[in-house]
Amino acid sequence: MANINLSFEEMWEKIIACDRKYDGLFFTAVKTTRIYCRPSCRSKKPKKINVEFYFDLDKVEKAGFRACKRCQPHTDLSPYIRLVQNVVTFLVNHYKEKLVLQDIADHIGISSFYLDRIFKQETAETPRTYLEKIRVDK
């Protein structure tokens, strides 16, 4: 999976908002506790200076961090989590381009109907509304 193009500040905002759409795209590692979490973890938020972000599960574990027992970032919660993560990564990396649902579906390798249905089932919004939110955030 390609790295998502988010700044430290943007990732910080996502963990403060407990945004579950970014789960699996990056991990929040806390230097003082040596624990890493999903962006959506509801545990007490760490001090900003104690946070590092990782895009790969293996790298965060090799760096000596252990998984949070509350959000269990090392387990997949849904069979579609990878699909949603790939869509979100694509949208974040291509938000400046004129995109239609078929462009996203072609990149992911599934039909546009299936993409729209699964994305809405997992995130409660369509890829189009999600893309609009990314554009507003940027």
Side-chain angles (χ1 to χ4, degrees):
M1 179 169 54
N3 282 357
I4 190 166
N5 292 326
L6 288 175
S7 69
F8 182 92
E9 289 302 319
E10 289 171 317
M11 288 186 283
W12 178 253
E13 289 172 12
K14 301 307 175 198
I15 66 166
I16 295 303
C18 297
D19 193 337
R20 85 178 206 117
K21 290 183 283 307
Y22 288 82
D23 285 359
L25 295 179
F26 68 87
F27 301 94
T28 306
V30 183
K31 294 182 255 185
T32 53
T33 61
R34 306 302 296 168
I35 295 172
Y36 70 95
C37 297
R38 299 173 188 269
S40 66
C41 188
R42 296 283 180 186
S43 294
K44 183 180 173 193
K45 299 303 174 203
K47 290 183 179 178
K48 196 174 187 177
I49 60 170
N50 294 330
V51 171
E52 292 178 356
F53 293 106
Y54 289 86
F55 296 102
D56 186 78
L57 190 63
D58 292 332
K59 288 182 182 174
V60 72
E61 289 182 347
K62 284 179 184 171
F65 294 95
R66 70 172 178 80
C68 172
K69 291 180 180 175
R70 185 172 186 175
C71 69
Q72 300 179 6
H74 56 294
T75 60
D76 283 344
L77 299 178
S78 163
Y80 304 111
I81 193 80
R82 291 284 174 234
L83 183 136
V84 172
Q85 290 169 349
N86 289 339
V87 172
V88 170
T89 300
F90 181 77
L91 293 176
V92 169
N93 291 337
H94 297 90
Y95 73 94
K96 292 180 182 179
E97 301 170 22
K98 182 179 179 184
L99 294 173
V100 293
L101 186 60
Q102 190 61 50
D103 296 333
I104 303 163
D106 289 345
H107 177 76
I108 302 301
I110 60 174
S111 76
S112 57
F113 174 78
Y114 187 66
L115 168 65
D116 196 50
R117 187 170 59 107
I118 295 300
F119 195 85
K120 193 169 189 173
Q121 171 186 312
E122 294 295 310
T123 66
E125 57 189 318
T126 65
R128 179 93 216 138
T129 57
Y130 191 81
L131 178 60
E132 289 169 7
K133 285 182 178 182
I134 291 170
R135 288 176 174 159
V136 169
D137 285 348
K138 298 282 186 174

